[in-house]
Amino acid sequence: MSVSGARFADLLEQHRIDFSAGVPCSLIEDLIATLETHPRVPYVAAVREDVAVGLAAGAWLAGCRPAVLMQNSGLGTSLNALASLSLMYGLPALLLVTWRGYQGKDAPEHILMGDISPKLLTLCGIPHRVLSAASIEADLAWAIAEMEQRLQPVALLVPPGVVEMGRAHARAAGPPATRDGGGTPSPLAAVLEPRISRLVALGAALKPLGREPLVHANGYICRESFSLGDRPQNFYMIGSMGMASAIGLGLALARPHRRAVVFDGDGNLLMNLGILAQVGARQPANLVHCVFDNGVYGSTGNQASLSHQVRLDRLAAAAGYRTAVAVVAAGEVEAAVQAALGSEGPHFILVKVTREEAEAPRIPFTPAEIRDRFRASLLAG
Ligand SMILES: Cc1ncc(C[n+]2csc(CCOP(=O)(O)OP(=O)(O)O)c2C)c(N)n1
């Protein structure tokens, strides 16, 4: 038995939740899809989970009753905000934390966090329960009563199957996502119309590459690139969302005479936007930072990202990248990567792509295999 996103949102409303913020997880895509257009429980797309905790703190101080939606990977990201903001000041929030790695059955990046999620909540002193569809009304009533009485965050862990699945495909086929839960376009916005799929763009970007190390952001970017061709110099980041650009910068700084290439996603870059300033300040001439911008969190069900309203290439230019270009056609992608590999950087290439997702297999290597062959390829020169 599972509960639909619409029913879940109704129950949140009945419990007078009137503000929500979060980072998507596919386990609750149906709930997020409902909240994204909900008139009374508005959803704010946060760039990071701890930012969602901060948004909820502000909303509660302003008189709202907030909910924070996150994957348990984001519980790790949020620990400091929970400890030194929500728990220290006593700021209530309903934490809906999806439980990837539940019962040890999931992709490798979820196993450890899946094991320790309830323990982390216990360690922090955050009361928590495992949500079930059968007892959702009682679970929500308990959580709301606890957070009001204790004046602090309370968590419901949401295992797979509690919320109905399957909206991703409908959304992928539908009209382009154009909202992030509100907000007007910034002056940096200028619409770039996507023309090619990410798979086509990846194929074009891979063409000029020789033996350069290449770090892929997590999600479908890894999988589609792998489906086009594997090489030991490919680092497939299957977890640690946001970190591809940091790993690439680390490579570039440690090996200044060798190029380092990053294939990033818009959601990934937004989660770690400060990296732009770090690159701007350090000026690694050997860094090529490509962002495949489909305007959505594609890997978790196509929730809109902020890249509809904010031009990431212009942020990179303002942060001090030597070049920052935006491209939309396959020939332009190939030419931009070719030019970047042959000249002093740091270079930023925004590749605007459609939301189309190719059938692509999971990365078949273990994390240790990915590490070992990548490092060996670097040390071989
Ligand atoms: C800290 C954290 N929060 C949430 C997730 C769930 N997650 C996995 S991939 C992904 C979307 C990545 O978006 P983007 O970089 O735009 O790439 P796309 O999936 O669109 O190719 C999300 C939200 C995660 N892995 N880690």
Side-chain angles (χ1 to χ4, degrees):
M1 178 181 166
S2 55
V3 61
S4 70
R7 165 90 180 121
F8 204 146
D10 276 351
L11 289 170
L12 292 177
E13 191 183 351
Q14 277 172 33
H15 283 96
R16 294 195 292 111
I17 296 286
D18 52 4
F19 183 95
S20 68
V23 176
C25 173
S26 55
L27 296 187
I28 48 169
E29 58 169 281
D30 202 39
L31 174 59
I32 297 174
T34 307
L35 295 180
E36 274 180 317
T37 54
H38 201 289
R40 290 171 303 280
V41 191
Y43 174 76
V44 180
V47 289
R48 297 164 51 95
E49 287 83 356
D50 53 352
V51 171
V53 171
L55 289 165
W60 186 83
L61 290 167
C64 292
R65 182 179 277 179
V68 175
L69 285 65
M70 66 166 83
Q71 185 176 91
N72 52 346
S73 52
L75 191 57
T77 315
S78 302
L79 281 181
N80 185 49
L82 289 168
S84 65
L85 175 65
S86 318
L87 288 160
M88 188 184 78
Y89 286 100
L91 304 172
L94 173 64
L95 309 179
L96 297 172
V97 182
T98 63
W99 197 349
R100 297 296 305 256
Y102 181 64
Q103 296 179 339
K105 287 185 279 222
D106 211 325
E109 68 270 25
H110 295 300
I111 300 302
L112 175 61
M113 192 50 94
D115 181 31
I116 64 174
S117 291
K119 297 175 207 162
L120 277 178
L121 291 167
T122 304
L123 265 179
C124 291
I126 297 178
H128 54 94
R129 266 192 191 182
V130 181
L131 183 68
S132 99
S135 60
I136 187 167
E137 293 184 39
D139 294 337
L140 276 172
W142 168 81
I144 300 291
E146 285 285 303
M147 69 189 237
E148 288 300 326
Q149 191 211 326
R150 295 173 184 244
L151 281 187
Q152 68 159 87
V154 172
L156 291 173
L157 282 161
V158 188
V162 171
V163 178
E164 271 173 23
M165 302 283 284
R167 184 91 76 104
H169 298 295
R171 285 155 69 89
T178 51
R179 41 173 296 131
D180 74 317
T184 47
S186 86
L188 285 172
V191 181
L192 279 174
E193 280 303 326
R195 301 220 293 256
I196 54 173
S197 69
R198 183 178 48 213
L199 190 72
V200 169
L202 283 166
L206 285 168
K207 269 196 206 162
L209 290 190
R211 290 163 44 79
E212 298 82 3
L214 166 59
V215 184
H216 297 77
N218 72 332
Y220 265 79
I221 290 179
C222 269
R223 293 167 63 161
E224 289 186 358
S225 176
F226 172 78
S227 78
L228 288 167
D230 179 38
R231 55 208 267 286
Q233 295 88 355
N234 281 6
F235 192 84
Y236 301 111
M237 217 187 68
I238 53 180
S240 59
M241 182 173 166
M243 287 301 122
S245 49
I247 301 169
L249 178 57
L251 284 174
L253 295 176
R255 311 267 309 215
H257 302 301
R258 191 163 175 178
R259 303 259 168 234
V261 184
V262 175
F263 282 1
D264 218 343
D266 47 306
N268 266 267
L269 177 57
L270 284 161
M271 188 167 269
N272 185 15
L273 211 47
I275 200 72
L276 297 181
Q278 281 202 243
V279 171
R282 295 297 299 239
Q283 289 294 308
N286 54 338
L287 183 69
V288 180
H289 189 177
C290 303
V291 178
F292 295 87
D293 175 12
N294 57 0
V296 288
Y297 296 92
S299 305
T300 50
N302 285 327
Q303 302 85 0
S305 87
L306 302 181
S307 74
H308 288 283
Q309 283 123 317
V310 178
R311 280 278 294 265
L312 298 172
D313 54 320
R314 297 189 187 168
L315 293 184
Y321 279 66
R322 182 183 275 265
T323 69
V325 295
V327 289
V328 296
E332 291 173 356
V333 178
E334 188 181 338
V337 174
Q338 180 99 55
L341 290 173
S343 62
E344 297 252 301
H347 298 289
F348 187 93
I349 304 172
L350 184 79
V351 186
K352 196 74 190 172
V353 293
T354 64
R355 293 182 303 154
E356 195 179 320
E357 204 164 80
E359 286 288 331
R362 278 189 180 277
I363 306 302
F365 308 117
T366 64
E369 283 166 347
I370 295 170
R371 173 196 67 195
D372 290 343
R373 61 190 214 136
F374 182 76
R375 190 156 192 262
S377 79
L378 275 180
L379 300 185

